[in-house]
Amino acid sequence: MGPDVVRAAQDVLEATGLEFEWVSCEVGERAFNTVGEALPRAVVEAVQDCGVALKGPVATPAGAAFRSVNVALRRALDLYVQVRPVRTIPGVPSRYERVDVQVVRETTEDLYRGLELPPGSPEAGELLALLSRMGEELPSTTGFSLKPLSEQAARRAVTRALEHARAAGRRRVTLVHKASVMPATDGIFLAVGREVAGDYPDLHVDALAVDAAGAELVRHPEDLDVLLTTNLYGDVLSDVAAAVTGGVGLAPGANLGDHVAVFEAVHGTAPRHAGADRVNPLAVVLSAALLLDHLGEAVHAGRVRDAVAAVVLRGNDVTYDLRAAGDPRPAVGTRRAGQAVAELVR
């Protein structure tokens, strides 16, 4: 359903009155079946040429012959920081008010690097032999997912994240880690984070273990500001943050590098709804607002966010997932939800 939600976001962007030249590219399973690559080189080059991209959700089917397009795209474009802002929106059922959290994560390393050694592989056998010499005996059926984390990657991600926090007017940044259990990896991230924080005296930088951060998101999310963390933790915590404010259907995201940026919703895809004009496009619409911010069009970005908030609060033109239980009004489709936002933007 990626094309469906992106088309709705295009309608909203064009409603701002700004001029856009669209370069459409296909990735994922259909691209793999057509050209033999889930992420064709031409797509990477197109993003590099444009400088920015709006990406729809892309699925990686279980047992697929290709790895995650999302991970591959971040690596190919060196998109090393991801920002996922989450806030409460009036009209969306939530237990909390005044939540405004940004989850920022390093995206090139950690367990999502994709360094896996399947059970029975020669590489897994070599690692088992090494561990045996270290006194660690594991079954021959053991598989491994490796967690690389370097000082260099941590330093540039933390620096970029703190620059972003300062530019966004944020005041508190919390380093999220599990250094007590994984000092060789999370310990690097925490140490670098504390060191770099010394260059940003205007920001209050503290630290929380990842389990404590998850608990705070559930208990007192309104007290949190920016959560800065590693790849896997950031993916999980951003979904939790979205859930406590009403769900991932309204959670946007930005992937940032030094030269390009890709904007996408936090949620995944839903192949069963592809082409059915059913799914919620508003997370991609809000991702488009982040794209406008990145291009220096903050006024237009604000118009898009205000329009989304108005459509949700009014409740006449929302998709099934935003329709409250007992509300007799019929849900609308993907295109109509996007058009409702576009009408208010105009």
Side-chain angles (χ1 to χ4, degrees):
M1 37 66 86
D4 303 340
V5 292
V6 169
R7 277 193 294 269
Q10 286 178 276
D11 290 342
V12 173
L13 285 174
E14 290 173 348
T16 64
L18 298 171
E19 293 185 6
F20 293 88
E21 179 182 347
W22 299 102
V23 178
S24 298
C25 302
E26 188 171 80
V27 298
E29 190 171 15
R30 284 191 295 186
F32 183 82
N33 293 336
T34 302
V35 300
E37 293 180 283
L39 179 62
R41 180 63 197 172
V43 175
V44 176
E45 293 173 351
V47 178
Q48 290 171 329
D49 289 342
C50 293
V52 293
L54 183 64
K55 185 182 97 31
V58 181
T60 305
F66 57 89
R67 290 185 172 179
S68 166
V69 169
N70 297 323
V71 173
L73 188 64
R74 291 172 196 146
R75 290 182 63 180
L77 296 169
D78 199 23
L79 302 169
Y80 59 89
V81 165
Q82 184 183 78
V83 180
R84 290 180 167 181
V86 176
R87 64 182 64 188
T88 47
I89 297 178
V92 178
S94 172
R95 297 181 181 181
Y96 308 95
E97 298 178 359
R98 302 183 304 279
V99 177
D100 186 2
V101 179
Q102 291 196 356
V103 180
V104 183
R105 62 169 168 152
E106 197 281 333
T107 56
T108 66
E109 296 192 330
D110 196 22
L111 287 166
Y112 280 12
R113 177 78 180 192
L115 299 177
E116 298 210 316
L117 310 180
S121 66
E123 295 83 2
E126 292 176 9
L127 186 50
L128 284 169
L130 173 62
L131 292 172
S132 178
R133 292 194 294 272
M134 296 170 59
E136 294 286 345
E137 297 294 339
L138 296 173
S140 61
T141 54
T142 301
F144 297 91
S145 295
L146 304 183
K147 180 186 168 105
L149 202 154
S150 67
E151 178 183 339
Q152 293 86 340
R155 186 173 302 279
R156 71 170 182 168
V158 169
T159 301
R160 181 65 180 271
L162 295 182
E163 288 288 342
H164 168 81
R166 175 184 279 173
R170 298 285 171 159
R171 291 293 175 261
R172 178 189 177 193
V173 178
T174 301
L175 302 168
V176 179
H177 64 94
K178 197 66 176 176
S180 60
V181 178
M182 291 171 282
T185 50
D186 284 28
I188 291 175
F189 177 81
L190 179 59
V192 168
R194 285 173 168 165
E195 177 191 338
V196 175
D199 296 330
Y200 297 83
D202 52 316
L203 296 174
H204 173 71
V205 180
D206 55 14
L208 278 176
V210 62
D211 43 355
E216 281 300 291
L217 272 174
V218 173
R219 293 186 301 183
H220 304 292
E222 64 279 358
D223 293 340
L224 298 171
D225 193 354
V226 176
L227 300 179
L228 172 56
T229 188
T230 53
N231 211 343
L232 173 62
Y233 303 153
D235 191 20
V236 175
L237 291 176
S238 59
D239 277 20
V240 175
V244 301
T245 56
V248 294
L250 290 165
N255 300 281
L256 307 175
D258 289 333
H259 306 292
V260 296
V262 175
F263 300 85
E264 61 180 343
V266 169
H267 63 71
T269 188
R272 68 186 183 280
H273 294 319
D277 191 36
R278 174 173 168 78
V279 296
N280 178 4
L282 297 186
V284 179
V285 171
L286 290 170
S287 299
L290 294 179
L291 184 152
L292 291 173
D293 280 327
H294 181 77
L295 295 176
E297 299 289 351
V299 172
H300 293 295
R303 290 169 57 200
V304 171
R305 292 190 187 93
D306 289 345
V308 169
V311 166
V312 172
L313 183 61
R314 185 174 60 192
N316 293 323
D317 296 297
V318 296
T319 48
Y320 71 95
D321 57 309
L322 295 177
R323 178 65 68 224
D327 190 329
R329 292 174 293 181
V332 302
T334 307
R335 197 62 182 263
R336 176 56 202 152
Q339 288 172 344
V341 175
E343 289 165 4
L344 293 180
V345 169
R346 291 191 186 95

